[in-house]
Amino acid sequence: MSPGGPRRTFLPALLTLLLTAALALTTLGAPARAAGPGGTWTVHQPGAPRDGVTAVVRLDPADGTLTLTARKGATTVLEPAPLGIVTSAADLTSELRADSRHTRQVTERYSMTTGKQLRRTARMTETRFTFTGRDGARLGLVVRVADDGVAYRYVLPGPGTVTVEREASAFRPPAAARAWLTPYSVNYERLYAPATAAGAAPGAYAYPALFQVGNTYALLTESDVDGRYDASRLVHEGDGRYTVRLADPEVTSEGPLATPWRTAVVGDLATVTESTLVDDLAPPSRLADTSWIRPGKVAWSWLDGFGAAQRDLAAQQRFVDLAAAHGWPYALVDDGWKTTDWMPELIAYARQRGVDVLLWVHWTDLDTVAERAEFLPRVKRWGAAGLKIDFMDSDSQERFRWYDDILRDTARHRLLVNFHGATLPKGVQRTWPHVMTLEAVYGAEQGTVPAAGLTALPYTRNAVGSMDYTPMGFQFGTRTVSDAAELALAVVFESGMQNFAGSVAAYRERPELVRFLEQVPTVWDETRLLSGLPGGSATFARRHGDRWFLGGVHAGEAGTERVRLDFLGGGRWLAEVVRDGEDGGLLRERHVVTRRDVLDVPTAEHGGFAGQICRFTPGRDTCDRPVTRLPLTALTADPARAEAGPGGSVAVTGRFAVEESGPATDVRLTLDVPDGWTADGDGTTAAELPAGRALSGDWTVRVPSDVRPGGYDLTVRAEYRAPDRPGSGVLRVERPVRVFVPEPGVTYVSDLPFTSERNGWGPVERDMSNGERDPADGGPLTLAGTVYDKGLGMHAAGEIVVELGGEYRRFTAGVGVDDEAGAKGTVAFEVLGDGRTLLTTGVLDGAGPAFPVDMDVTGVRQLTLRVLDGGDGVDSDHADWADARLVPSRRGRGCARTLDGVRAGRDAPRAGLQRS
C-alpha cells in the first residue's frame, strides 16, 4: 500500500464507526415502538467487520409472518425461513404486528471443567422483539448474534400453564449447499453422510447438521434444553426447508416460558470446530464447588470381553492394574457387575492403587426418587467416583425432566456422569460441570466405522460437546484406520473422559502408543483446527498448559501431511511425532522447529499421526512428563476349577508375574485352604521381581475323607510392594480355585458328552452361564441369588442331546433365566425323552426362583434338553439348567465310563471364571 493509502480511507471508516456507535446507543435505550405492520431489522455485533455475522428478522406486512436470515458478510448462509410458535391458546405464526425491540450487549466470562477451551468469554449482541398476534396474544423473540453464529428463542409471558403444540421454526440453507447429515435416531447413533441441502432425502435428521455455502459453513443445533421443554430434530420435506420438529406432540410448562435456542454456528471450518456458542447460550453452572470434578483417562474393558468381563472380579482387577501401570485415573466397569457382590472389594483394590472406579447403570434403575435415594448413597459409600448411565433413548420432555433430577442428585453425591444412549450435548456441560462426556455418536462399539464417517465427526457431532467415541479398541479387529490414526483420535476427538477400549495385550504390542496415551490430557486450554475437510481429514492442535498436542487423521490414500506450526510462539520448540512405520508398527520422530516451519509427516492409507510439542532447551530430547506408575502384574491360579472326591487331592499352581513397569518388591505367594483341608508346599518369596520375571508356587491339596458334597474355595494370594509408589503400602491380589466334591451315586449332565449341540449365542457352557462368545467365557450359574457349581448355561434357541442308554431313572434340575440377564430374558424349557415331550415349563423370566424339574426317565435312551424364546426376541435369553443331575437305575451303573475325558477338559484352567 502506498503511503497515502491509509489517509484516503481513514475518514469514511471513522464516520462508519461513529454511526455504528450512535445506532448502538439508540437501540440500547428505551424500547422503541415499531412503526407500521411490517419491518426489517438487522442484528449484528457492534463494529462488526464487513465479513461479520448478521441476522435479519423480517415481518411481512402482507400476512404478518416472521422470517430469519443469517449472513456471513455478503454470503447468505441461511435464507429466509419461518419463525413462530403455536400454543393451545394462540397461533403466533401469522397476523403478527411489531410492538417493540430492545438491544443490549451480553458479555459472560465462565470456566469449564471439560471441553475444547476451559476459560471462556462469550460476547453477543441480543435484540428482544415483542409482537402482538390475533386476539392480543404476545410473542417475545430473542435473537443473539456472536462472532461465531446466530441463535434465537421464543419467550411466552406467564404466569400460568403454557401448552406448546408446535413451532414454525425452520432453517433454509441454499438449495445447492453441501450438507453432512445423519438420520435422526433417539440415541444419535447413525453415520454422517454427504448430500446437498435440497437433494437430501425427505425425512428426519439429527442435530448437528452441517451445511456449506462457498467457504462458509452453518452448523445447526440447539442449546439450553431441559425439563421445561423437550428436544427437537430437523425434518426435510423436500421443499428446501429443514423444519424444527418437537419430540412430543405437546409440551407443557409453567410460564413464563423461554424455549431452547435454535442455533447456527456460522463461519469457516476453524470457527465451527473451535466455537463454544452452544455452551455460551446455556445457563451458568449450578455448582458452586467444582473442586471434586476430575476429568481423565479411563481403562474400559467392555470391548475386551463384553458382559463376561464385567462379571469377573479378576478381569476388572486386571483393568485397574492397567490404569495404575500407565497413570490413568479411572477404570470403568460396564453392564453385568450388578449380578455380583464384589464391587466394594474391587473399589478398595483400585483405590489402594490410585485408581477410581466408574460404574455402568441402566437409567431405569434410577428413574424414581426412591431408587436414586437408595442407589446413589450406596455406591458413594463404596467409593465409586461416577456413573455411566445408559439407554435413555428419548428426547421427550419427560426424559429431560429425568435428566434434571439425575443431574441434581448425582451432583449432590459428587458422582461424575457419562451419559450413553443419550441425547446430544446442548450446553449441559456448562450448566452441570460434572457431566464428563456423552455418547450420542456412531462410535467404536458399532464395530466398523468407515474412515469417511469418522473424519466427519470433528466438524459435526464433536463440535457441540464432549463425545465418548471409545477409541483404541485394536483387539476388536474391525477398525478402518491405521494404528497412528487411531492414536490421533485421543487428540482429534474431545471428551472430558476418554474411555480407552484396548486390551492389555493390544497396548503391550504398541509401546509407543501407550507412551503417548500416558502423556495426552483430556481437557484443553486452547484448540486450533490446522487443516481438513468433513469426511476427508482433520488435523488439530490442542494446548494443555505449556504443551501442544497434535492429532491428524485422514480418509484416503497414503501421502504426506503438511502441518503448519504458525500457532506456536517464538523461539525453538521440540516436536515429537508418532506415525505409522513402513513395517506396520509405530515410529516416533523428533524435530527441533520454530513457528515458521512446516512438519511433513508421511501417512499411511486411512492413516494419521499424533504428537506433542514443548519448548526446546539444549539437551532436551522428549516432551514427556513423569508418570506415576504401579507394576502391571498378573496372578493366575491353575486350575480355576477342579473336582475331587472325599480323601482325594488336587494339584494347584500359582504364578505371579510382573509384566510392565516393575519392579515389585517383598513378594510373597501363598495358598489358603478351608478348615480341615491340608496343602503340601510352602509359600514362595522374592525380594524383587523386575518386569518380565515371575514367581511360581506348587501345592498338593488334600480333601478330608469326611467332607460333605458341595463347592469349596481355595485362595492363591500374592502380596508385594511398589517401590515407585511407597505410600501404597502392601498390595494384595487373590485368585480362587473352586473345588467341587460330587455327591456319591449322582451323574451330572455337564459331565456327559453331547451327542449333538446347538445354541443361540456362543457354545453351550458346562458348569457356567452362557457367555455368548467363546468357550468358558461365562459367569457362575446363578438363579435368584443362588450360585450353582454344576449345570449347563444355554441361550435360546438351543438344545443339547445326551445318551442315557436306559441306565437312569430320574432327572432333576432347577431351571430359569440367569441373574446376569436381569429382567430382560424370557425362556421356555422343554425336556424330551427319545423324541417324546416329557416337560414344558411355559415362559419363565428372571423375576422368580428356579423352576424345579423332577421327572422319571426310566428306560429313556436319549435325553434332549431344549430352551426356546419366550416370544419377545432372543435378547439376553440366558437359560440355566442348574444342578442338572441324573440318578442311575438300580440295575444300571450310569455312564461313569464316559466321564474321564469330559472331566479332564473341564478341569483345565478357564479364563474369567469367578464365583460371585
Side-chain angles (χ1 to χ4, degrees):
M1 182 179 291
S2 66
R7 286 190 288 274
R8 287 196 298 271
T9 59
F10 177 77
L11 185 58
L14 178 61
L15 290 174
T16 300
L17 180 63
L18 292 173
L19 287 171
T20 301
L23 178 62
L25 289 172
T26 301
T27 59
L28 286 169
R33 183 72 183 180
T40 300
W41 304 274
T42 300
V43 184
H44 58 80
Q45 291 277 66
R50 189 171 296 177
D51 64 347
V53 177
T54 59
V56 178
V57 177
R58 182 176 184 272
L59 179 64
D60 191 313
D63 58 9
T65 58
L66 282 168
T67 59
L68 183 139
T69 305
R71 296 183 180 132
K72 179 77 163 66
T75 302
T76 298
V77 183
L78 297 172
E79 296 178 347
L83 303 174
I85 193 168
V86 177
T87 73
S88 59
D91 182 340
L92 296 168
T93 63
S94 62
E95 299 182 37
L96 297 173
R97 292 181 59 86
D99 186 12
S100 65
R101 74 180 187 275
H102 182 88
T103 298
R104 69 185 182 107
Q105 298 306 122
V106 177
T107 301
E108 296 179 351
R109 293 177 175 85
Y110 64 97
S111 295
M112 297 283 288
T113 60
T114 58
K116 61 186 82 172
Q117 181 181 341
L118 291 180
R119 285 170 291 280
R120 304 180 182 181
T121 300
R123 294 185 176 92
M124 296 172 278
T125 298
E126 177 186 280
T127 297
R128 290 178 171 261
F129 300 90
T130 57
F131 301 92
T132 301
R134 67 191 75 165
D135 301 325
R138 302 291 296 276
L139 171 67
L141 171 67
V142 183
V143 178
R144 285 188 177 182
V145 173
D147 292 340
D148 54 350
V150 173
Y152 66 89
R153 76 190 322 171
Y154 308 114
V155 177
L156 302 179
T161 301
V162 178
T163 300
V164 175
E165 296 179 352
R166 66 179 178 89
E167 292 186 25
S169 312
F171 298 97
R172 189 192 292 272
R178 296 187 67 191
W180 288 266
L181 302 171
T182 178
Y184 177 78
S185 66
V186 291
N187 55 19
Y188 294 80
E189 295 178 29
R190 303 287 292 275
L191 282 169
Y192 275 86
T196 63
Y205 294 93
Y207 298 120
L210 181 66
F211 297 89
Q212 178 187 4
V213 184
N215 294 322
T216 303
Y217 293 78
L219 185 71
L220 307 182
T221 188
E222 59 186 350
S223 178
D224 189 15
V225 184
D226 58 24
R228 297 168 299 167
Y229 213 70
D230 64 3
S232 65
R233 66 209 66 163
L234 297 174
V235 175
H236 181 225
E237 296 177 345
D239 59 357
R241 290 189 302 180
Y242 286 78
T243 302
V244 173
R245 180 77 53 80
L246 301 181
D248 293 306
E250 291 185 343
V251 177
T252 301
S253 188
E254 293 302 312
L257 171 66
T259 68
W261 293 100
R262 307 290 165 225
T263 307
V265 180
V266 176
D268 58 15
L269 283 178
T271 300
V272 168
T273 55
E274 298 166 21
S275 171
T276 61
L277 182 60
V278 173
D279 291 331
D280 295 345
L281 294 165
S285 172
R286 297 187 182 178
L287 303 185
D289 178 18
T290 60
S291 61
W292 56 276
I293 298 172
R294 184 175 61 142
K297 292 163 283 193
V298 185
W300 183 49
S301 58
W302 181 258
L303 294 191
D304 188 37
F306 300 97
Q310 318 312 308
R311 297 187 295 273
D312 183 55
L313 174 60
Q316 293 309 313
Q317 288 176 335
R318 180 81 164 149
F319 275 83
V320 167
D321 291 343
L322 173 69
H326 298 299
W328 302 348
Y330 297 104
L332 168 60
V333 188
D334 218 281
D335 183 14
W337 68 268
K338 288 186 295 178
T339 62
T340 72
D341 60 3
W342 44 251
M343 186 53 68
E345 180 183 350
L346 176 68
I347 292 175
Y349 178 93
R351 298 190 80 171
Q352 189 184 27
R353 288 157 174 79
V355 176
D356 282 319
V357 174
L358 309 167
L359 304 178
W360 181 96
V361 63
H362 198 289
W363 84 275
T364 55
D365 294 330
L366 298 171
D367 62 343
T368 69
V369 173
E371 287 170 339
R372 294 191 294 273
E374 187 281 327
F375 182 85
L376 299 180
R378 173 160 54 91
V379 298
K380 188 65 178 179
R381 286 194 303 271
W382 292 348
L387 302 176
K388 174 182 174 180
I389 309 176
D390 209 343
F391 292 115
M392 284 71 70
D393 291 344
S394 174
D395 274 328
S396 68
Q397 183 179 27
E398 178 186 16
R399 198 58 40 84
F400 272 93
R401 286 173 174 167
W402 173 85
Y403 277 117
D404 293 344
D405 292 339
I406 194 65
L407 288 166
R408 179 195 63 237
D409 293 347
T410 49
R412 180 181 301 135
H413 291 285
R414 296 194 166 192
L415 290 166
L416 305 176
V417 173
N418 169 7
F419 285 123
H420 264 234
T423 191
L424 193 75
K426 305 171 193 290
V428 67
Q429 290 177 280
R430 179 185 179 186
T431 308
W432 295 103
H434 64 305
V435 177
M436 295 290 94
T437 190
L438 303 90
E439 186 184 27
V441 65
Y442 190 90
E445 282 186 89
Q446 305 291 342
T448 302
V449 181
L454 185 150
T455 52
L457 294 174
Y459 309 98
T460 51
R461 161 62 183 90
N462 206 193
V464 299
S466 291
M467 179 180 77
D468 192 15
Y469 178 84
T470 67
M472 312 305 155
F474 299 96
Q475 72 286 346
F476 215 32
T478 54
R479 293 179 307 111
T480 59
V481 296
S482 72
D483 279 11
E486 189 77 15
L487 176 61
L489 299 183
V491 178
V492 173
F493 290 165
E494 182 275 312
S495 182
M497 277 181 171
Q498 286 282 15
N499 287 285
F500 295 144
S503 67
V504 175
Y507 293 127
R508 185 179 298 117
E509 293 166 358
R510 299 165 175 84
E512 288 292 356
L513 177 136
V514 174
R515 178 177 171 180
F516 185 84
L517 292 182
E518 289 179 347
Q519 297 295 319
V520 67
T522 66
V523 294
W524 308 102
D525 296 306
E526 190 175 352
T527 289
R528 300 281 187 91
L529 174 68
L530 303 184
S531 64
L533 290 171
S537 65
T539 299
F540 281 85
R542 300 188 193 264
R543 182 177 62 83
H544 181 87
D546 59 357
R547 284 190 294 177
W548 285 92
F549 289 81
L550 302 176
V553 59
H554 77 272
E557 298 178 352
T560 299
E561 182 76 17
R562 294 181 56 81
V563 184
R564 297 178 61 87
L565 301 177
D566 52 2
F567 58 89
L568 296 173
R572 292 195 297 170
W573 297 77
L574 176 63
E576 295 183 84
V577 176
V578 181
R579 65 175 180 86
D580 294 300
E582 294 181 0
D583 61 353
L586 291 173
L587 178 66
R588 178 183 291 256
E589 298 177 331
R590 297 172 177 85
H591 310 270
V592 178
V593 298
T594 71
R595 68 186 315 271
R596 295 184 298 275
D597 290 325
V598 175
L599 280 177
D600 288 331
V601 183
T603 55
E605 182 181 11
H606 297 326
F609 66 94
Q612 57 175 325
I613 304 178
C614 60
R615 284 287 183 184
F616 175 75
T617 56
R620 185 174 195 174
D621 63 357
T622 181
C623 294
D624 288 354
R625 302 284 171 82
V627 175
T628 301
R629 300 180 181 90
L630 283 178
L632 178 61
T633 64
L635 175 64
T636 58
D638 181 14
R641 294 176 62 94
E643 286 190 15
S649 64
V650 177
V652 176
T653 296
R655 184 177 185 274
F656 178 77
V658 178
E659 299 179 336
E660 298 175 19
S661 308
T665 59
D666 301 329
V667 183
R668 184 167 180 251
L669 191 61
T670 58
L671 175 69
D672 290 345
V673 298
D675 291 340
W677 296 47
T678 60
D680 296 332
D682 296 326
T684 304
T685 62
E688 180 176 291
L689 279 181
R693 295 288 299 276
L695 183 67
S696 295
D698 295 294
W699 298 269
T700 299
V701 179
R702 303 198 179 279
V703 182
S705 57
D706 59 348
V707 70
R708 301 180 63 179
Y712 296 84
D713 286 325
L714 288 59
T715 303
V716 176
R717 178 181 298 111
E719 297 179 336
Y720 62 101
R721 293 181 182 272
D724 290 344
R725 190 182 286 176
S728 58
V730 177
L731 301 171
R732 297 178 180 84
V733 60
E734 299 176 348
R735 295 290 176 262
V737 174
R738 184 71 172 173
V739 178
F740 180 71
V741 179
E743 186 174 334
V746 170
T747 297
Y748 296 92
V749 176
S750 57
D751 292 336
L752 298 177
F754 300 155
T755 301
S756 65
E757 166 193 354
R758 62 180 176 87
N759 205 40
W761 289 91
V764 174
E765 300 282 12
R766 299 176 186 269
D767 303 330
M768 61 183 65
S769 65
N770 174 245
E772 295 194 3
R773 287 171 62 88
D774 303 315
D777 67 347
L781 292 159
T782 310
L783 296 175
T786 300
V787 179
Y788 298 86
D789 285 282
K790 302 294 291 181
L792 300 174
M794 298 175 67
H795 193 299
E799 71 174 30
I800 61 104
V801 179
V802 294
E803 296 292 335
L804 303 189
E807 298 185 0
Y808 295 92
R809 59 186 177 86
R810 298 213 70 77
F811 167 68
T812 63
V815 300
V817 176
D818 194 277
D819 286 0
E820 68 195 7
K824 293 186 289 186
T826 54
V827 178
F829 293 78
E830 290 185 351
V831 179
L832 293 82
D834 297 329
R836 179 171 58 89
T837 300
L838 304 179
L839 171 74
T840 299
T841 64
V843 177
L844 305 178
D845 57 28
F851 183 94
V853 174
D854 187 350
M855 64 184 56
D856 188 342
V857 291
T858 301
V860 171
R861 304 191 65 82
Q862 194 174 71
L863 182 71
T864 301
L865 305 182
R866 182 179 295 165
V867 294
L868 303 173
D869 170 41
D872 58 354
V874 293
D875 177 45
S876 303
D877 283 353
H878 291 204
D880 292 350
W881 299 85
D883 198 30
R885 56 171 68 190
L886 292 157
V887 179
S889 61
R890 290 185 177 88
R891 62 179 178 83
R893 294 182 300 134
C895 292
R897 62 185 180 276
T898 68
L899 303 187
D900 292 342
V902 176
R903 281 177 176 161
R906 185 197 59 240
D907 292 347
R910 291 185 173 183
L913 185 63
Q914 172 69 45
R915 180 178 171 85
S916 66

